[in-house]
Amino acid sequence: MNQNANRKFKIISFCVSFLFLILLFSIFSKINIKQKAQVITAPLEKVGTDIISGKLEVMVKDDFDDNTKSGINYFIDDGKKKTPFILDNYSDLKLASFSGSTIKSIGYYDQGKFVGNIQSYLVNKQAPTNNVSIPVNHKVLTLLLLSEGTSKEPFVKSDAQKVIWNSPLLNL
Amino acid sequence: MTEQSYGKITFSSDVYGWITIPKQASTTPVLYLSQTQIANYIATNNINLNNYDHVLLVYYCAVDCKGANSTVGKVNNVVNGQNYQLSVSTISGSQGNAGKYDFLSPYYQIKTQTSFQWRNIDAYLAHEFGHALGLMHANAHDCGNFAITAPSGCGYIEFGNVIDTMGFNKGEGLHFNAFFKYLLGWINPSDIVQVNSSGVYNLSPLEIASGTKMLHINQPALSDISYDVEFRQPIGFDKDIALNKDGVIIYRVVNGPSMQYDDAKLIDASPTISPWFSDTNPVSLSQSTQGIFKDDRRGIKIGPITSGPNGSANVAVDISTPPACMQMTPVIGSLFINNSASYTIPVGVPANIFVTAYNDAYPTCVGNATFVGNFMVTGGIFNFTQNKSIAPEAFGNFYTTFTPSTVGTYQLQFKVTNSINNTIANKVVYIIVQ
């Protein structure tokens, strides 16, 4: 009897554990599905007519081997999240009313007609920029990072100041 | 950046590291730190990010680390719960590939050895710090065998400015172009001459601090396109531009609401049939060949070039009445299905179809033309019409969604009609539905 009871207990425990795992799997599956659903995939027509507000951010990936593999990603930061969107020569997209900027309206192409260069906005986010009358020092935090397994550092830390920060580019 | 900013900016840095990025449980090396790991390092080392304008991450690994990226200008970075306005740039190098991507090897894109040391790390940093200052890429306007022609015959080339650090440069001209310098505040507006009438105008070399740095040539009867002209000489970091690209350089400028919103792209003023990046001919207007650049649609001629005093250049500019309006037949560009120029699509799944049509009407034409675009699939199983109002020398994007219900090969025709002169253009592609 004891052995049977023990066996029944094990079977019930197994079933409960199994159901619990299914429940957990189900919950995580729903979370994953919910996360996937948050990916923004605006149809082209919608992108074509949207006016988007927020701070424009641009990230450039450079492939010096092949310019076609380089990429430019655009985001709008509305203070809560950074939303990626399409902005290229093929988008009839006009951006307007950036918050936190004196620029009230800026765009790229609107119905195939050039509206304005976003670059001016991006440059003007630097401070100070235009009409620099005295030398302005740009202070940079440099972090040197080495992937484990790399047999040696390309230069020792004490040389970094010389290798990077006395390099020809600073004179360029 | 000291030379090309005429001493207006400098860079300095505090350096931390080397920080070893640990392997994960397996032997697979981890190439990059996560944002959280970087934030933790900053907190642990009591680094005050308020002291900085820019962050530079220098990654080095055993093999196959290459390339770089950067934010363009400063962006919001939330680190350890606090927001900082910083640009963030990354450069990567590796020991592999026979030193090709090694930081201290000579810059591998250089086709001719520069007369000074220019290593991979220098090329990466010079480019990425341009982004950090807010610059995008220096691009080109390529019209094939022509210096300039109707818009449908031209294309834009990312990185196409071969004599600018923000372009796909071979170590020849390293200065930023004059328009970029103007944007950055390195060229005073008083050093830019607005040219609205014929005459001979003097330009000083871009590489020196004094004198006129840029001509901004406008056809007064039109306002959409201008030409920026700069004069490059083998001075300082432009020393090796003498190899074949020095002289008067011309940019096609699409005018924004004011000059700071312009968009300037390099033109090949001495075009050949060679593809853009393998064309070894000068991109400049040569003084020796008495070259003249012409935009007949706008009545603008630039050249010939003659020597001016103290190493400057005299640039002849002729601005005449532009030709009268002429409407043209539409021109259809590439057709994409699901962002691809190959047309194999799955059955039962909506496919996004996208095509561009150009209105090549002369710029003197007043008002937009209505272009009627029609997508039609074999047997009338799909028929969609879309109208676009397109300005002269502009383009319109037509798009639709087609959901194929059965497997097979279908003919897709896109037809566009210019409603002003009833001229028609057609494009036919074959869709394979699997």
Side-chain angles (χ1 to χ4, degrees):
Chain A
M1 285 293 285
N2 281 346
Q3 277 184 340
N4 280 340
N6 196 28
R7 193 177 297 124
K8 279 181 184 175
F9 176 75
K10 281 183 178 175
I11 290 169
I12 290 167
S13 296
F14 175 77
C15 289
V16 168
S17 302
F18 186 68
L19 285 171
F20 182 68
L21 282 173
I22 288 175
L23 181 66
L24 274 179
F25 180 76
S26 171
I27 289 168
F28 281 117
S29 297
K30 281 180 182 171
I31 289 170
N32 283 336
I33 289 164
K34 193 178 175 187
Q35 284 172 339
K36 283 176 187 170
Q38 288 172 340
V39 174
I40 296 161
T41 53
L44 286 168
E45 286 87 352
K46 189 166 185 299
V47 170
T49 55
D50 265 1
I51 301 293
I52 304 171
S53 293
K55 289 182 179 176
L56 177 66
E57 293 193 357
V58 183
M59 168 66 82
V60 178
K61 179 190 168 208
D62 295 312
D63 187 317
F64 296 103
D65 274 344
D66 181 353
N67 67 319
T68 62
K69 290 179 182 169
S70 293
I72 303 174
N73 296 311
Y74 298 89
F75 305 87
I76 288 291
D77 184 349
D78 65 0
K80 296 173 186 169
K81 63 182 186 305
K82 297 185 182 188
T83 306
F85 68 97
I86 302 165
L87 180 60
D88 57 33
N89 286 359
Y90 301 108
S91 309
D92 291 343
L93 186 69
K94 185 177 179 181
L95 306 166
S97 301
F98 285 91
S99 60
S101 166
T102 56
I103 298 166
K104 296 299 181 194
S105 180
I106 191 167
Y108 208 54
Y109 282 83
D110 185 18
Q111 292 296 310
K113 195 74 179 169
F114 183 78
V115 177
N117 186 359
I118 58 167
Q119 186 163 251
S120 176
Y121 168 78
L122 298 165
V123 169
N124 275 287
K125 287 203 305 176
Q126 305 303 304
T129 53
N130 286 340
N131 301 318
V132 178
S133 56
I134 54 171
V136 174
N137 182 46
H138 289 252
K139 196 70 192 285
V140 183
L141 169 65
T142 303
L143 301 181
L144 308 175
L145 302 116
L146 193 72
S147 180
E148 190 177 351
T150 310
S151 63
K152 70 179 182 67
E153 299 158 352
F155 40 85
V156 296
K157 181 196 168 184
S158 58
D159 283 343
Q161 207 74 33
K162 184 172 64 182
V163 169
I164 301 177
W165 296 106
N166 289 332
S167 83
L169 90 104
L170 290 186
N171 297 322
L172 165 66
Chain B
M1 300 289 179
T2 308
E3 177 180 302
Q4 63 167 335
S5 74
Y6 314 109
K8 289 185 173 178
I9 69 163
T10 58
F11 280 89
S12 64
S13 180
D14 295 327
V15 182
Y16 290 80
W18 294 91
I19 307 159
T20 300
I21 310 169
K23 286 179 183 174
Q24 285 179 324
S26 68
T27 55
T28 307
V30 180
L31 303 182
Y32 299 99
L33 277 189
S34 68
Q35 282 188 324
T36 304
Q37 288 172 303
I38 291 171
N40 289 341
Y41 182 87
I42 286 167
T44 305
N45 288 274
N46 296 316
I47 298 170
N48 183 358
L49 289 176
N50 286 315
N51 294 336
Y52 300 99
D53 305 292
H54 312 280
V55 173
L56 170 67
L57 305 174
V58 180
Y59 282 98
Y60 197 71
C61 73
V63 288
D64 292 339
C65 288
K66 62 170 186 171
N69 61 60
S70 181
T71 63
V72 182
K74 295 177 180 178
V75 301
N76 290 326
N77 293 275
V78 177
V79 181
N80 299 322
Q82 192 177 337
N83 188 44
Y84 301 91
Q85 280 278 302
L86 295 160
S87 74
V88 181
S89 307
T90 299
I91 61 169
S92 301
S94 61
Q95 295 175 303
N97 295 302
K100 184 178 177 184
Y101 306 121
D102 205 312
F103 285 138
L104 304 184
S105 299
Y107 182 40
Y108 68 91
Q109 286 290 353
I110 291 178
K111 62 183 178 187
T112 47
Q113 183 59 46
T114 52
S115 55
F116 51 89
Q117 186 187 49
W118 193 246
R119 305 160 301 182
N120 286 325
I121 196 169
D122 302 318
Y124 298 166
L125 288 171
H127 184 93
E128 300 312 321
F129 278 125
H131 286 316
L133 290 171
L135 296 178
M136 301 282 274
H137 287 147
N139 302 321
H141 186 76
D142 178 19
C143 301
N145 299 349
F146 303 95
I148 199 78
T149 187
S152 64
C154 305
Y156 124 92
I157 298 184
E158 188 76 20
F159 274 123
N161 190 336
V162 292
I163 48 168
D164 188 308
T165 294
M166 298 314 294
F168 213 50
N169 143 324
K170 307 287 185 186
E172 293 162 342
L174 291 172
H175 276 235
F176 295 154
N177 64 75
F179 177 69
F180 279 3
K181 292 189 181 193
Y182 155 74
L183 276 181
L184 291 167
W186 299 350
I187 289 179
N188 292 324
S190 59
D191 290 334
I192 298 171
V193 173
Q194 303 290 330
V195 177
N196 297 305
S197 59
S198 300
V200 176
Y201 298 87
N202 184 259
L203 268 177
S204 293
L206 183 67
E207 296 82 5
I208 62 172
S210 60
T212 300
K213 295 288 177 300
M214 189 172 102
L215 306 179
H216 188 67
I217 301 172
N218 301 287
Q219 165 57 264
L222 301 165
S223 59
D224 56 343
I225 300 291
S226 299
Y227 289 99
D228 285 351
V229 180
E230 68 189 24
F231 181 46
R232 301 286 286 270
Q233 286 291 276
I235 298 171
F237 281 88
D238 271 354
K239 187 174 181 180
D240 293 315
I241 205 170
L243 293 171
N244 62 6
K245 294 183 176 68
D246 61 328
V248 169
I249 312 293
I250 301 174
Y251 295 84
R252 181 180 186 266
V253 180
V254 188
N255 292 328
S258 61
M259 203 167 89
Q260 65 176 328
Y261 297 115
D262 285 355
D263 185 42
K265 292 188 176 71
L266 177 69
I267 282 174
D268 185 353
S270 306
T272 69
I273 58 169
S274 301
W276 185 268
F277 287 114
S278 53
D279 185 352
T280 54
N281 259 21
V283 292
S284 54
L285 263 191
S286 165
Q287 184 176 330
S288 58
T289 59
Q290 295 287 292
I292 295 177
F293 167 83
K294 296 179 188 175
D295 182 347
D296 293 330
R297 287 175 157 232
R298 286 181 173 72
I300 294 177
K301 291 180 189 172
I302 303 170
I305 313 301
T306 52
S307 294
N310 303 318
S312 64
N314 288 326
V315 182
V317 178
D318 183 83
I319 301 176
S320 57
T321 304
C325 167
M326 188 182 296
Q327 297 289 342
M328 307 294 281
T329 301
V331 176
I332 301 173
S334 298
L335 188 147
F336 296 97
I337 300 181
N338 295 335
N339 297 320
S340 169
S342 66
Y343 307 129
T344 301
I345 57 175
V347 67
V349 179
N352 290 319
I353 306 173
F354 175 95
V355 63
T356 300
Y358 294 88
N359 180 4
D360 274 347
Y362 276 44
T364 40
C365 296
V366 177
N368 291 9
T370 299
F371 274 34
V372 181
N374 175 256
F375 297 89
M376 194 166 65
V377 177
T378 322
I381 61 171
F382 181 78
N383 198 322
F384 179 78
T385 299
Q386 191 174 40
N387 291 355
K388 290 281 177 182
S389 175
I390 306 176
E393 296 208 323
F395 58 85
N397 297 324
F398 293 81
Y399 24 74
T400 188
T401 303
F402 166 56
T403 307
S405 57
T406 51
V407 170
T409 300
Y410 300 88
Q411 177 184 290
L412 166 67
Q413 181 190 48
F414 175 71
K415 183 174 83 172
V416 62
T417 306
N418 180 344
S419 60
I420 290 183
N421 61 1
N422 289 317
T423 50
I424 296 171
N426 277 296
K427 189 177 193 79
V428 174
V429 301
Y430 291 91
I431 303 173
I432 299 167
V433 179
Q434 294 178 331

